[in-house]
Amino acid sequence: MVWISRVCWRKYGNFVDNLRLYVRGGGGGMGLPRLGGQGGSGGDVWVVANDGITLKRIKDRYPKKRFVAGVGGNSSIRALKGAKGEDVEISAPVGITVTTDEGCVLGQLNHKGDKVLVARGGQGGSLNSGYLPSKGQTHQIRLDLQLIADMGLVGFPNAGKSSLLTALSHATPQIASYPFTTLRPEIGKVMYADHKQVGVADLPGLIEGAHMNRGMGHKFLKHVERTKQLLFVVDVCGFQLANNTPFRSAFETVQLLSKELELYNEELVAKPAILVVNKMDLPEAETKLRELEAQLENREEHGGLLAEDMVPAGLPRFKYTVPVSALTGHSLPRLRDLVRRSLEEQDAAQMRSKHAGRLQELRREVPVVAPQCGGSLAQHRSPSPRAPPLDPTP
């Protein structure tokens, strides 16, 4: 226990995925009544997505976590229109959701260069305000990091997620024989021969009750929301967290993982998923695999293995079930190919849906005029005017 506590402090204590900041827009400048001058507006506070920045770096660089924009310039004889106050930009990593303390979403930073206005500056003094300026907005905001990856590894502790990520990519997460070695999210890039890259996120292991914030809880589950697809990683021989906890078979593990996702956010279970059955190098692995496949085919028949409140409403529709061994490399090339194929199929389906939606919009914008019934086309043409007859008289 002491060893695990030290690891948690060393590894997870240095990772920040949620940060609370105080932001205030600049106040407006004073107007000049006798000449009708208008004060400048106060500066605004923005959150901007940039590369090479982390929430930990923001926390260390600005320990007070206060960001105040500049005050607008006063109107004067030399400048009837006061200068605008200086804006403040807070650099943040991509994948940030900006919210207020009340949970209101102000915006999301999904790409480099995205900006979110978090505190607007006050208006300068003018005739309408009696030449008195207004104060800038003041907020307490939260920067909540949600990793953006193509694939997210989902599994209980010691399922072999970190070993699998190491074997598939160049990532080097901590690997050990005890649970909870992954204490911070880790993203690896799977490289293909044509230079295609797929981002795979190794996320902290779930435990039963994670939807109620037990264990890593929401620190893990929120990162699943922005992954395109899920890789369920289960130990073919089952899982047991501790001696005083019940043993779970591979099929029960799939059910419990699905239940945790379902209770946190039902939309997560609907994500495309691949089932990776790991540790096929262990004895009796083939027998356990056939048992798992039979249970997955007859889910309703085997649904009574868990208590009723622990059985999910439905399991993900696994596009592929891949038995692998991260230790020996068994079937890893096939898994790499299936991961790419699954993502490309999803992209193609989304593109077809987008094109179909656009086609429907065009059809609504351009009404189709039905031809009139009866008569030939010539009958519907307006007769051309005839030339007047020539007058025979000179």
Side-chain angles (χ1 to χ4, degrees):
M1 181 59 70
V2 174
W3 170 251
I4 294 178
S5 300
R6 289 177 180 175
V7 172
C8 289
W9 174 255
R10 185 175 66 252
K11 295 290 289 182
Y12 195 79
N14 291 329
F15 178 73
V16 178
D17 58 4
N18 188 281
L19 193 60
R20 187 170 183 260
L21 305 176
Y22 171 86
V23 294
R24 188 178 71 201
M30 292 291 295
L32 188 61
R34 62 191 181 91
L35 295 179
Q38 182 177 350
S41 300
D44 304 322
V45 182
W46 299 80
V47 180
V48 185
N50 280 311
D51 293 333
I53 190 73
T54 63
L55 294 184
K56 178 67 165 56
R57 184 173 297 179
I58 299 174
K59 183 179 179 181
D60 293 341
R61 186 178 298 175
Y62 307 98
K64 294 183 178 180
K65 294 179 286 187
R66 291 172 58 89
F67 297 87
V68 180
V71 178
N74 296 329
S75 175
S76 64
I77 296 177
R78 295 182 179 179
L80 293 180
K81 173 67 174 179
K84 186 182 185 302
E86 185 178 357
D87 291 346
V88 170
E89 292 189 352
I90 308 171
S91 292
V94 175
I96 289 292
T97 300
V98 186
T99 62
T100 63
D101 273 352
E102 294 76 24
C104 177
V105 178
L106 301 178
Q108 292 184 336
L109 307 177
N110 295 323
H111 305 93
K112 180 183 178 181
D114 288 354
K115 300 175 65 175
V116 176
L117 178 63
V118 294
R120 190 181 300 277
Q123 295 295 321
S126 63
L127 176 63
N128 296 331
S129 63
Y131 299 99
L132 298 176
S134 61
K135 296 180 179 180
Q137 294 178 338
T138 301
H139 294 298
Q140 296 281 356
I141 64 170
R142 293 183 180 274
L143 306 183
D144 193 29
L145 175 65
Q146 293 176 302
L147 296 179
I148 300 176
D150 298 305
M151 286 281 184
L153 298 177
V154 178
F156 283 147
N158 256 20
K161 301 185 302 300
S162 298
S163 300
L164 184 64
L165 181 65
T166 302
L168 291 175
S169 69
H170 298 292
T172 56
Q174 184 177 355
I175 302 173
S177 58
Y178 53 83
F180 297 113
T181 51
T182 302
L183 300 169
R184 53 169 293 177
E186 189 90 26
I187 294 183
K189 292 292 185 179
V190 181
M191 303 290 295
Y192 292 87
D194 59 353
H195 304 291
K196 169 76 174 180
Q197 297 185 22
V198 171
V200 180
D202 178 21
L203 305 168
L206 284 172
I207 63 171
E208 296 179 32
H211 68 280
M212 296 185 293
N213 215 17
R214 291 179 182 170
M216 299 290 179
H218 296 173
K219 288 183 179 295
F220 159 79
L221 287 168
K222 70 177 183 179
H223 293 295
V224 182
E225 294 181 301
R226 289 201 185 183
T227 57
K228 292 182 180 180
Q229 298 189 16
L230 301 179
L231 275 174
F232 278 63
V233 184
V234 300
D235 187 332
V236 68
C237 293
F239 167 73
Q240 185 176 19
L241 181 62
N243 293 330
N244 58 348
T245 59
F247 175 82
R248 305 300 188 186
S249 66
F251 179 65
E252 291 172 331
T253 300
V254 174
Q255 287 183 302
L256 291 172
L257 288 172
S258 304
K259 185 66 175 180
E260 294 301 330
L261 297 178
E262 175 188 292
L263 292 174
Y264 179 75
N265 186 346
E266 293 182 356
E267 296 180 359
L268 297 180
V269 186
K271 282 180 177 285
I274 296 176
L275 178 59
V276 180
V277 185
N278 195 19
K279 303 186 181 182
M280 289 300 297
D281 54 286
L282 296 178
E284 301 183 358
E286 292 294 339
T287 303
K288 298 288 185 181
L289 176 63
R290 288 192 294 270
E291 180 181 347
L292 172 61
E293 292 174 340
Q295 291 170 330
L296 289 172
E297 291 179 2
N298 303 283
R299 301 178 181 183
E300 298 180 357
E301 180 181 345
H302 299 278
L305 299 176
L306 294 173
E308 185 176 351
D309 60 339
M310 302 174 70
V311 177
L315 296 179
R317 295 183 178 180
F318 296 114
K319 301 181 69 173
Y320 307 103
T321 299
V322 191
V324 303
S325 172
L327 181 64
T328 64
H330 170 69
S331 289
L332 289 184
R334 178 170 177 262
L335 176 59
R336 288 164 55 93
D337 294 340
L338 291 179
V339 164
R340 178 170 180 174
R341 182 191 303 177
S342 180
L343 289 170
E344 290 177 346
E345 289 173 351
Q346 181 183 8
D347 292 341
Q350 290 177 348
M351 188 61 67
R352 288 194 298 268
S353 177
K354 183 179 179 180
H355 288 169
R358 181 55 183 159
L359 184 60
Q360 291 291 340
E361 292 178 3
L362 292 175
R363 287 175 176 173
R364 286 194 295 266
E365 293 173 2
V366 183
V368 179
V369 180
Q372 299 179 4
C373 298
S376 63
L377 181 62
Q379 292 176 328
H380 293 287
R381 293 177 178 172
S382 58
S384 58
R386 294 183 178 178
L390 296 176
D391 189 357
T393 58

